[in-house]
Amino acid sequence: MRSTGASVAGAGAGVALAQMTTSLGGRALPCGNGSKVVLALGAGSAVLAFLLAAFLPRHRPADPVAAPAATGAPSAEPVC
């Protein structure tokens, strides 16, 4: 998943920079605004990822009282 996201982000950044070019000596170069747009897109993606991660359920450890019975460890209570 991470490599897919990096590939998509790289392609998106390339498209944004390719669309925002200026001509200098007959060559097309990315302008300063293109870099700002790419940085803004990255920052927006980071904020969106943070908000999505904030709503994920958290891992809660098992109840320490119920844990010995669940693992099959002998209990302190006598068996009659």
Short mmCIF file of all heavy atoms in Angstrom, two decimals:
data_model
loop_
_atom_site.label_atom_id
_atom_site.label_comp_id
_atom_site.label_asym_id
_atom_site.label_seq_id
_atom_site.Cartn_x
_atom_site.Cartn_y
_atom_site.Cartn_z
N MET A 1 0.82 -1.19 0.00
CA MET A 1 0.00 0.00 0.00
C MET A 1 0.86 1.26 0.00
O MET A 1 0.52 2.23 -0.65
CB MET A 1 -0.89 0.02 1.25
CG MET A 1 -2.15 -0.83 1.20
SD MET A 1 -3.17 -0.55 -0.23
CE MET A 1 -4.04 0.90 0.20
N ARG A 2 1.95 1.21 0.76
CA ARG A 2 2.77 2.41 0.87
C ARG A 2 3.42 2.73 -0.46
O ARG A 2 3.49 3.90 -0.85
CB ARG A 2 3.81 2.21 1.97
CG ARG A 2 4.59 3.45 2.26
CD ARG A 2 5.43 3.31 3.49
NE ARG A 2 6.35 2.20 3.37
CZ ARG A 2 7.13 1.80 4.35
NH1 ARG A 2 7.06 2.38 5.51
NH2 ARG A 2 7.95 0.80 4.18
N SER A 3 3.90 1.73 -1.17
CA SER A 3 4.55 2.00 -2.46
C SER A 3 3.53 2.47 -3.50
O SER A 3 3.86 3.30 -4.35
CB SER A 3 5.28 0.76 -2.95
OG SER A 3 4.39 -0.30 -3.15
N THR A 4 2.31 1.97 -3.42
CA THR A 4 1.27 2.44 -4.33
C THR A 4 0.96 3.91 -4.06
O THR A 4 0.84 4.71 -4.99
CB THR A 4 -0.01 1.60 -4.17
OG1 THR A 4 0.31 0.23 -4.41
CG2 THR A 4 -1.08 2.05 -5.12
N GLY A 5 0.85 4.27 -2.79
CA GLY A 5 0.59 5.66 -2.44
C GLY A 5 1.71 6.58 -2.87
O GLY A 5 1.48 7.69 -3.35
N ALA A 6 2.94 6.12 -2.70
CA ALA A 6 4.08 6.94 -3.11
C ALA A 6 4.10 7.12 -4.62
O ALA A 6 4.42 8.21 -5.12
CB ALA A 6 5.38 6.31 -2.63
N SER A 7 3.76 6.08 -5.36
CA SER A 7 3.73 6.18 -6.83
C SER A 7 2.64 7.14 -7.30
O SER A 7 2.87 7.96 -8.19
CB SER A 7 3.49 4.80 -7.45
OG SER A 7 4.55 3.94 -7.14
N VAL A 8 1.47 7.04 -6.69
CA VAL A 8 0.36 7.93 -7.07
C VAL A 8 0.70 9.38 -6.71
O VAL A 8 0.45 10.31 -7.49
CB VAL A 8 -0.95 7.48 -6.40
CG1 VAL A 8 -2.05 8.52 -6.57
CG2 VAL A 8 -1.39 6.15 -6.97
N ALA A 9 1.29 9.58 -5.53
CA ALA A 9 1.66 10.94 -5.11
C ALA A 9 2.74 11.52 -6.02
O ALA A 9 2.69 12.70 -6.39
CB ALA A 9 2.13 10.93 -3.67
N GLY A 10 3.71 10.70 -6.40
CA GLY A 10 4.75 11.17 -7.31
C GLY A 10 4.20 11.53 -8.67
O GLY A 10 4.61 12.53 -9.27
N ALA A 11 3.27 10.72 -9.16
CA ALA A 11 2.66 11.02 -10.46
C ALA A 11 1.83 12.30 -10.38
O ALA A 11 1.86 13.14 -11.30
CB ALA A 11 1.80 9.85 -10.92
N GLY A 12 1.10 12.46 -9.29
CA GLY A 12 0.31 13.69 -9.11
C GLY A 12 1.18 14.92 -9.02
O GLY A 12 0.86 15.97 -9.60
N ALA A 13 2.30 14.81 -8.30
CA ALA A 13 3.22 15.94 -8.21
C ALA A 13 3.83 16.25 -9.57
O ALA A 13 3.99 17.43 -9.94
CB ALA A 13 4.32 15.63 -7.20
N GLY A 14 4.14 15.23 -10.34
CA GLY A 14 4.69 15.44 -11.68
C GLY A 14 3.70 16.13 -12.60
O GLY A 14 4.07 17.03 -13.37
N VAL A 15 2.44 15.74 -12.51
CA VAL A 15 1.41 16.38 -13.34
C VAL A 15 1.24 17.84 -12.93
O VAL A 15 1.15 18.73 -13.79
CB VAL A 15 0.07 15.62 -13.23
CG1 VAL A 15 -1.07 16.41 -13.82
CG2 VAL A 15 0.19 14.27 -13.91
N ALA A 16 1.20 18.10 -11.62
CA ALA A 16 1.04 19.48 -11.16
C ALA A 16 2.21 20.34 -11.60
O ALA A 16 2.03 21.48 -12.06
CB ALA A 16 0.90 19.51 -9.64
N LEU A 17 3.42 19.81 -11.49
CA LEU A 17 4.58 20.59 -11.93
C LEU A 17 4.64 20.76 -13.44
O LEU A 17 5.07 21.80 -13.95
CB LEU A 17 5.88 19.94 -11.43
CG LEU A 17 6.13 20.05 -9.92
CD1 LEU A 17 7.35 19.22 -9.54
CD2 LEU A 17 6.30 21.48 -9.50
N ALA A 18 4.20 19.75 -14.18
CA ALA A 18 4.22 19.85 -15.65
C ALA A 18 3.20 20.86 -16.16
O ALA A 18 3.42 21.50 -17.20
CB ALA A 18 3.94 18.48 -16.26
N GLN A 19 2.09 21.02 -15.44
CA GLN A 19 1.07 21.96 -15.89
C GLN A 19 1.42 23.41 -15.52
O GLN A 19 0.88 24.34 -16.10
CB GLN A 19 -0.29 21.59 -15.27
CG GLN A 19 -0.84 20.28 -15.78
CD GLN A 19 -1.08 20.31 -17.27
OE1 GLN A 19 -1.59 21.28 -17.81
NE2 GLN A 19 -0.71 19.23 -17.95
N MET A 20 2.29 23.59 -14.55
CA MET A 20 2.65 24.94 -14.10
C MET A 20 4.11 25.21 -14.47
O MET A 20 5.00 25.13 -13.63
CB MET A 20 2.44 25.07 -12.59
CG MET A 20 1.03 24.86 -12.17
SD MET A 20 0.87 25.07 -10.42
CE MET A 20 -0.88 25.22 -10.29
N THR A 21 4.33 25.48 -15.74
CA THR A 21 5.70 25.72 -16.22
C THR A 21 5.84 27.12 -16.77
O THR A 21 4.85 27.80 -17.08
CB THR A 21 6.07 24.72 -17.33
OG1 THR A 21 5.14 24.87 -18.41
CG2 THR A 21 6.04 23.30 -16.83
N THR A 22 7.06 27.55 -16.86
CA THR A 22 7.39 28.83 -17.48
C THR A 22 8.51 28.58 -18.49
O THR A 22 9.27 27.62 -18.35
CB THR A 22 7.82 29.86 -16.42
OG1 THR A 22 8.04 31.11 -17.04
CG2 THR A 22 9.07 29.43 -15.69
N SER A 23 8.58 29.40 -19.49
CA SER A 23 9.59 29.22 -20.53
C SER A 23 10.80 30.09 -20.21
O SER A 23 10.67 31.29 -19.94
CB SER A 23 9.00 29.62 -21.88
OG SER A 23 9.96 29.45 -22.89
N LEU A 24 11.96 29.47 -20.24
CA LEU A 24 13.20 30.19 -19.99
C LEU A 24 14.23 29.72 -21.01
O LEU A 24 14.68 28.58 -20.96
CB LEU A 24 13.71 29.93 -18.56
CG LEU A 24 15.00 30.63 -18.17
CD1 LEU A 24 14.80 32.16 -18.17
CD2 LEU A 24 15.46 30.16 -16.81
N GLY A 25 14.55 30.59 -21.94
CA GLY A 25 15.53 30.25 -22.98
C GLY A 25 15.07 29.12 -23.87
O GLY A 25 15.88 28.30 -24.29
N GLY A 26 13.79 29.03 -24.12
CA GLY A 26 13.26 27.98 -24.97
C GLY A 26 13.02 26.66 -24.26
O GLY A 26 12.64 25.68 -24.88
N ARG A 27 13.25 26.62 -22.98
CA ARG A 27 13.01 25.40 -22.19
C ARG A 27 11.87 25.64 -21.21
O ARG A 27 11.72 26.73 -20.65
CB ARG A 27 14.25 25.00 -21.41
CG ARG A 27 15.38 24.60 -22.30
CD ARG A 27 16.52 24.12 -21.47
NE ARG A 27 17.33 23.23 -22.30
CZ ARG A 27 18.25 22.46 -21.80
NH1 ARG A 27 18.48 22.44 -20.52
NH2 ARG A 27 18.94 21.69 -22.59
N ALA A 28 11.10 24.61 -20.99
CA ALA A 28 10.01 24.70 -20.02
C ALA A 28 10.52 24.26 -18.65
O ALA A 28 11.04 23.16 -18.49
CB ALA A 28 8.85 23.82 -20.44
N LEU A 29 10.38 25.15 -17.66
CA LEU A 29 10.81 24.87 -16.30
C LEU A 29 9.62 25.04 -15.35
O LEU A 29 8.77 25.91 -15.57
CB LEU A 29 11.93 25.81 -15.87
CG LEU A 29 13.24 25.73 -16.66
CD1 LEU A 29 14.16 26.85 -16.24
CD2 LEU A 29 13.88 24.38 -16.43
N PRO A 30 9.55 24.24 -14.30
CA PRO A 30 8.45 24.44 -13.33
C PRO A 30 8.60 25.79 -12.64
O PRO A 30 9.70 26.21 -12.29
CB PRO A 30 8.64 23.31 -12.32
CG PRO A 30 9.62 22.37 -12.90
CD PRO A 30 10.38 23.11 -13.96
N CYS A 31 7.48 26.48 -12.49
CA CYS A 31 7.53 27.79 -11.83
C CYS A 31 7.41 27.61 -10.31
O CYS A 31 7.12 26.52 -9.82
CB CYS A 31 6.44 28.71 -12.36
SG CYS A 31 4.78 28.16 -12.01
N GLY A 32 7.63 28.66 -9.59
CA GLY A 32 7.59 28.61 -8.13
C GLY A 32 6.22 28.24 -7.59
O GLY A 32 6.11 27.57 -6.56
N ASN A 33 5.17 28.66 -8.27
CA ASN A 33 3.82 28.34 -7.80
C ASN A 33 3.55 26.84 -7.90
O ASN A 33 2.78 26.30 -7.11
CB ASN A 33 2.77 29.12 -8.60
CG ASN A 33 2.75 30.58 -8.22
OD1 ASN A 33 3.13 30.95 -7.11
ND2 ASN A 33 2.31 31.41 -9.14
N GLY A 34 4.15 26.17 -8.85
CA GLY A 34 3.98 24.72 -8.96
C GLY A 34 4.51 24.00 -7.73
O GLY A 34 3.88 23.08 -7.20
N SER A 35 5.64 24.45 -7.23
CA SER A 35 6.21 23.86 -6.02
C SER A 35 5.31 24.13 -4.82
O SER A 35 5.12 23.26 -3.96
CB SER A 35 7.61 24.42 -5.75
OG SER A 35 8.46 24.10 -6.81
N LYS A 36 4.75 25.32 -4.75
CA LYS A 36 3.85 25.66 -3.65
C LYS A 36 2.58 24.80 -3.70
O LYS A 36 2.08 24.36 -2.67
CB LYS A 36 3.47 27.14 -3.70
CG LYS A 36 4.63 28.05 -3.36
CD LYS A 36 4.23 29.50 -3.49
CE LYS A 36 5.41 30.42 -3.28
NZ LYS A 36 5.05 31.82 -3.48
N VAL A 37 2.07 24.55 -4.89
CA VAL A 37 0.88 23.71 -5.03
C VAL A 37 1.18 22.28 -4.61
O VAL A 37 0.39 21.66 -3.89
CB VAL A 37 0.35 23.76 -6.49
CG1 VAL A 37 -0.68 22.68 -6.74
CG2 VAL A 37 -0.24 25.12 -6.80
N VAL A 38 2.33 21.76 -5.00
CA VAL A 38 2.70 20.39 -4.62
C VAL A 38 2.86 20.29 -3.11
O VAL A 38 2.40 19.33 -2.47
CB VAL A 38 3.98 19.95 -5.36
CG1 VAL A 38 4.52 18.65 -4.79
CG2 VAL A 38 3.70 19.80 -6.84
N LEU A 39 3.50 21.28 -2.49
CA LEU A 39 3.64 21.28 -1.04
C LEU A 39 2.29 21.38 -0.34
O LEU A 39 2.05 20.73 0.68
CB LEU A 39 4.57 22.41 -0.60
CG LEU A 39 6.04 22.22 -0.93
CD1 LEU A 39 6.83 23.47 -0.59
CD2 LEU A 39 6.60 21.03 -0.18
N ALA A 40 1.40 22.20 -0.88
CA ALA A 40 0.06 22.33 -0.29
C ALA A 40 -0.73 21.02 -0.42
O ALA A 40 -1.44 20.63 0.52
CB ALA A 40 -0.70 23.47 -0.96
N LEU A 41 -0.59 20.34 -1.55
CA LEU A 41 -1.27 19.06 -1.72
C LEU A 41 -0.72 18.02 -0.73
O LEU A 41 -1.48 17.24 -0.15
CB LEU A 41 -1.10 18.55 -3.15
CG LEU A 41 -1.90 19.28 -4.23
CD1 LEU A 41 -1.50 18.78 -5.61
CD2 LEU A 41 -3.38 19.09 -4.00
N GLY A 42 0.57 18.02 -0.51
CA GLY A 42 1.17 17.10 0.45
C GLY A 42 0.73 17.39 1.87
O GLY A 42 0.43 16.48 2.64
N ALA A 43 0.67 18.68 2.23
CA ALA A 43 0.22 19.05 3.57
C ALA A 43 -1.25 18.69 3.77
O ALA A 43 -1.64 18.19 4.83
CB ALA A 43 0.43 20.54 3.80
N GLY A 44 -2.06 18.91 2.75
CA GLY A 44 -3.48 18.55 2.85
C GLY A 44 -3.66 17.05 2.98
O GLY A 44 -4.52 16.58 3.76
N SER A 45 -2.86 16.28 2.27
CA SER A 45 -2.94 14.82 2.38
C SER A 45 -2.52 14.36 3.77
O SER A 45 -3.11 13.43 4.32
CB SER A 45 -2.03 14.17 1.34
OG SER A 45 -2.46 14.50 0.05
N ALA A 46 -1.52 15.01 4.34
CA ALA A 46 -1.07 14.64 5.69
C ALA A 46 -2.15 14.94 6.72
O ALA A 46 -2.39 14.13 7.64
CB ALA A 46 0.22 15.38 6.03
N VAL A 47 -2.82 16.07 6.59
CA VAL A 47 -3.90 16.41 7.53
C VAL A 47 -5.05 15.43 7.38
O VAL A 47 -5.63 14.97 8.37
CB VAL A 47 -4.36 17.87 7.30
CG1 VAL A 47 -5.64 18.17 8.05
CG2 VAL A 47 -3.27 18.83 7.71
N LEU A 48 -5.39 15.08 6.15
CA LEU A 48 -6.47 14.11 5.93
C LEU A 48 -6.11 12.75 6.52
O LEU A 48 -6.95 12.10 7.16
CB LEU A 48 -6.75 13.98 4.43
CG LEU A 48 -7.83 12.99 4.03
CD1 LEU A 48 -9.18 13.43 4.58
CD2 LEU A 48 -7.88 12.84 2.53
N ALA A 49 -4.88 12.31 6.34
CA ALA A 49 -4.45 11.03 6.92
C ALA A 49 -4.50 11.07 8.44
O ALA A 49 -4.89 10.10 9.09
CB ALA A 49 -3.04 10.70 6.44
N PHE A 50 -4.11 12.19 9.04
CA PHE A 50 -4.17 12.33 10.50
C PHE A 50 -5.61 12.25 10.99
O PHE A 50 -5.90 11.59 11.99
CB PHE A 50 -3.54 13.66 10.93
CG PHE A 50 -3.69 13.93 12.40
CD1 PHE A 50 -2.91 13.25 13.32
CD2 PHE A 50 -4.62 14.84 12.85
CE1 PHE A 50 -3.07 13.49 14.67
CE2 PHE A 50 -4.78 15.08 14.20
CZ PHE A 50 -4.00 14.41 15.11
N LEU A 51 -6.52 12.93 10.30
CA LEU A 51 -7.93 12.90 10.72
C LEU A 51 -8.52 11.50 10.58
O LEU A 51 -9.29 11.06 11.44
CB LEU A 51 -8.74 13.91 9.92
CG LEU A 51 -8.42 15.37 10.22
CD1 LEU A 51 -9.19 16.28 9.27
CD2 LEU A 51 -8.75 15.71 11.66
N LEU A 52 -8.17 10.80 9.52
CA LEU A 52 -8.66 9.43 9.37
C LEU A 52 -8.09 8.52 10.45
O LEU A 52 -8.80 7.68 11.01
CB LEU A 52 -8.30 8.89 7.99
CG LEU A 52 -9.09 9.46 6.82
CD1 LEU A 52 -8.51 8.95 5.50
CD2 LEU A 52 -10.54 9.09 6.92
N ALA A 53 -6.82 8.69 10.77
CA ALA A 53 -6.19 7.85 11.80
C ALA A 53 -6.75 8.15 13.19
O ALA A 53 -6.77 7.27 14.05
CB ALA A 53 -4.69 8.05 11.78
N ALA A 54 -7.20 9.37 13.41
CA ALA A 54 -7.74 9.73 14.71
C ALA A 54 -9.04 8.98 15.02
O ALA A 54 -9.38 8.78 16.18
CB ALA A 54 -7.99 11.24 14.78
N PHE A 55 -9.74 8.54 14.01
CA PHE A 55 -11.01 7.85 14.22
C PHE A 55 -10.89 6.33 14.18
O PHE A 55 -11.89 5.62 14.28
CB PHE A 55 -12.04 8.31 13.19
CG PHE A 55 -12.50 9.72 13.43
CD1 PHE A 55 -12.07 10.74 12.59
CD2 PHE A 55 -13.31 10.03 14.50
CE1 PHE A 55 -12.46 12.04 12.81
CE2 PHE A 55 -13.72 11.33 14.73
CZ PHE A 55 -13.29 12.34 13.88
N LEU A 56 -9.68 5.81 14.05
CA LEU A 56 -9.49 4.36 14.09
C LEU A 56 -9.65 3.87 15.52
O LEU A 56 -9.25 4.55 16.46
CB LEU A 56 -8.09 3.99 13.59
CG LEU A 56 -7.84 4.16 12.10
CD1 LEU A 56 -6.38 3.85 11.80
CD2 LEU A 56 -8.73 3.28 11.29
N PRO A 57 -10.24 2.70 15.72
CA PRO A 57 -10.38 2.19 17.08
C PRO A 57 -9.01 1.87 17.68
O PRO A 57 -8.11 1.39 16.99
CB PRO A 57 -11.23 0.94 16.93
CG PRO A 57 -11.14 0.56 15.50
CD PRO A 57 -10.82 1.81 14.73
N ARG A 58 -8.88 2.12 18.96
CA ARG A 58 -7.60 1.88 19.64
C ARG A 58 -7.56 0.48 20.20
O ARG A 58 -8.57 -0.11 20.55
CB ARG A 58 -7.41 2.87 20.78
CG ARG A 58 -7.30 4.28 20.27
CD ARG A 58 -7.14 5.23 21.41
NE ARG A 58 -7.15 6.58 20.88
CZ ARG A 58 -6.34 7.52 21.29
NH1 ARG A 58 -5.48 7.28 22.21
NH2 ARG A 58 -6.41 8.71 20.76
N HIS A 59 -6.36 -0.06 20.30
CA HIS A 59 -6.16 -1.39 20.88
C HIS A 59 -6.22 -1.24 22.39
O HIS A 59 -5.49 -0.45 22.98
CB HIS A 59 -4.82 -1.96 20.45
CG HIS A 59 -4.50 -3.25 21.13
ND1 HIS A 59 -5.18 -4.40 20.85
CD2 HIS A 59 -3.61 -3.56 22.10
CE1 HIS A 59 -4.70 -5.37 21.61
NE2 HIS A 59 -3.74 -4.87 22.38
N ARG A 60 -7.09 -2.00 23.03
CA ARG A 60 -7.20 -1.98 24.48
C ARG A 60 -6.73 -3.32 25.01
O ARG A 60 -7.18 -4.37 24.55
CB ARG A 60 -8.63 -1.71 24.88
CG ARG A 60 -9.06 -0.35 24.38
CD ARG A 60 -10.26 0.16 25.10
NE ARG A 60 -10.44 1.56 24.74
CZ ARG A 60 -11.52 2.05 24.21
NH1 ARG A 60 -12.55 1.29 24.02
NH2 ARG A 60 -11.59 3.31 23.90
N PRO A 61 -5.85 -3.30 25.99
CA PRO A 61 -5.36 -4.56 26.55
C PRO A 61 -6.50 -5.31 27.25
O PRO A 61 -7.47 -4.72 27.70
CB PRO A 61 -4.28 -4.14 27.53
CG PRO A 61 -4.52 -2.70 27.81
CD PRO A 61 -5.25 -2.14 26.62
N ALA A 62 -6.33 -6.60 27.33
CA ALA A 62 -7.35 -7.43 27.97
C ALA A 62 -7.43 -7.11 29.45
O ALA A 62 -6.48 -6.60 30.06
CB ALA A 62 -7.00 -8.91 27.78
N ASP A 63 -8.56 -7.42 30.05
CA ASP A 63 -8.77 -7.20 31.47
C ASP A 63 -7.79 -8.06 32.26
O ASP A 63 -7.75 -9.28 32.07
CB ASP A 63 -10.21 -7.57 31.83
CG ASP A 63 -10.57 -7.21 33.25
OD1 ASP A 63 -9.83 -6.41 33.86
OD2 ASP A 63 -11.59 -7.73 33.75
N PRO A 64 -6.96 -7.49 33.15
CA PRO A 64 -5.95 -8.30 33.83
C PRO A 64 -6.54 -9.37 34.74
O PRO A 64 -5.92 -10.39 34.98
CB PRO A 64 -5.14 -7.28 34.63
CG PRO A 64 -5.90 -6.02 34.61
CD PRO A 64 -6.88 -6.10 33.49
N VAL A 65 -7.75 -9.19 35.23
CA VAL A 65 -8.38 -10.19 36.09
C VAL A 65 -8.82 -11.38 35.26
O VAL A 65 -8.67 -12.53 35.68
CB VAL A 65 -9.57 -9.57 36.86
CG1 VAL A 65 -10.30 -10.63 37.66
CG2 VAL A 65 -9.10 -8.43 37.73
N ALA A 66 -9.34 -11.13 34.08
CA ALA A 66 -9.84 -12.21 33.23
C ALA A 66 -8.73 -12.87 32.42
O ALA A 66 -8.93 -13.94 31.85
CB ALA A 66 -10.91 -11.68 32.29
N ALA A 67 -7.57 -12.28 32.37
CA ALA A 67 -6.50 -12.80 31.52
C ALA A 67 -6.00 -14.19 31.94
O ALA A 67 -5.82 -15.04 31.08
CB ALA A 67 -5.33 -11.82 31.49
N PRO A 68 -5.78 -14.52 33.23
CA PRO A 68 -5.30 -15.87 33.56
C PRO A 68 -6.28 -16.97 33.16
O PRO A 68 -5.88 -18.02 32.69
CB PRO A 68 -5.11 -15.84 35.07
CG PRO A 68 -4.91 -14.39 35.40
CD PRO A 68 -5.75 -13.65 34.39
N ALA A 69 -7.56 -16.74 33.33
CA ALA A 69 -8.55 -17.75 32.96
C ALA A 69 -8.59 -17.94 31.46
O ALA A 69 -8.78 -19.04 30.95
CB ALA A 69 -9.92 -17.38 33.49
N ALA A 70 -8.39 -16.85 30.73
CA ALA A 70 -8.44 -16.93 29.27
C ALA A 70 -7.22 -17.63 28.70
O ALA A 70 -7.30 -18.24 27.65
CB ALA A 70 -8.57 -15.51 28.69
N THR A 71 -6.09 -17.54 29.38
CA THR A 71 -4.87 -18.15 28.85
C THR A 71 -4.72 -19.60 29.28
O THR A 71 -3.81 -20.29 28.85
CB THR A 71 -3.63 -17.37 29.32
OG1 THR A 71 -3.60 -17.37 30.75
CG2 THR A 71 -3.65 -15.95 28.80
N GLY A 72 -5.56 -20.07 30.17
CA GLY A 72 -5.48 -21.45 30.63
C GLY A 72 -4.54 -21.64 31.80
O GLY A 72 -4.26 -22.78 32.19
N ALA A 73 -4.07 -20.58 32.40
CA ALA A 73 -3.20 -20.68 33.57
C ALA A 73 -4.03 -21.13 34.77
O ALA A 73 -5.23 -20.86 34.87
CB ALA A 73 -2.56 -19.32 33.84
N PRO A 74 -3.42 -21.86 35.68
CA PRO A 74 -4.18 -22.32 36.85
C PRO A 74 -4.64 -21.15 37.70
O PRO A 74 -3.95 -20.16 37.87
CB PRO A 74 -3.17 -23.20 37.62
CG PRO A 74 -1.84 -22.81 37.10
CD PRO A 74 -2.04 -22.28 35.72
N SER A 75 -5.85 -21.28 38.21
CA SER A 75 -6.41 -20.22 39.05
C SER A 75 -6.16 -20.54 40.52
O SER A 75 -5.83 -21.66 40.90
CB SER A 75 -7.92 -20.08 38.78
OG SER A 75 -8.57 -21.27 39.18
N ALA A 76 -6.30 -19.52 41.35
CA ALA A 76 -6.05 -19.68 42.79
C ALA A 76 -7.25 -20.31 43.51
O ALA A 76 -7.16 -20.68 44.66
CB ALA A 76 -5.70 -18.34 43.40
N GLU A 77 -8.37 -20.42 42.84
CA GLU A 77 -9.57 -20.96 43.47
C GLU A 77 -9.50 -22.49 43.49
O GLU A 77 -9.10 -23.10 42.50
CB GLU A 77 -10.82 -20.50 42.72
CG GLU A 77 -11.00 -19.01 42.71
CD GLU A 77 -12.22 -18.60 41.89
OE1 GLU A 77 -13.02 -19.48 41.53
OE2 GLU A 77 -12.33 -17.41 41.60
N PRO A 78 -9.91 -23.10 44.62
CA PRO A 78 -9.91 -24.59 44.67
C PRO A 78 -11.04 -25.16 43.80
O PRO A 78 -12.08 -24.56 43.64
CB PRO A 78 -10.15 -24.88 46.15
CG PRO A 78 -10.79 -23.64 46.71
CD PRO A 78 -10.29 -22.50 45.89
N VAL A 79 -10.77 -26.29 43.21
CA VAL A 79 -11.74 -26.96 42.38
C VAL A 79 -12.37 -28.08 43.21
O VAL A 79 -11.68 -28.97 43.69
CB VAL A 79 -11.10 -27.53 41.10
CG1 VAL A 79 -12.11 -28.26 40.26
CG2 VAL A 79 -10.42 -26.43 40.34
N CYS A 80 -13.67 -28.04 43.40
CA CYS A 80 -14.34 -29.06 44.20
C CYS A 80 -15.29 -29.86 43.37
O CYS A 80 -15.93 -29.48 42.52
CB CYS A 80 -15.11 -28.43 45.35
SG CYS A 80 -14.04 -27.63 46.53
#
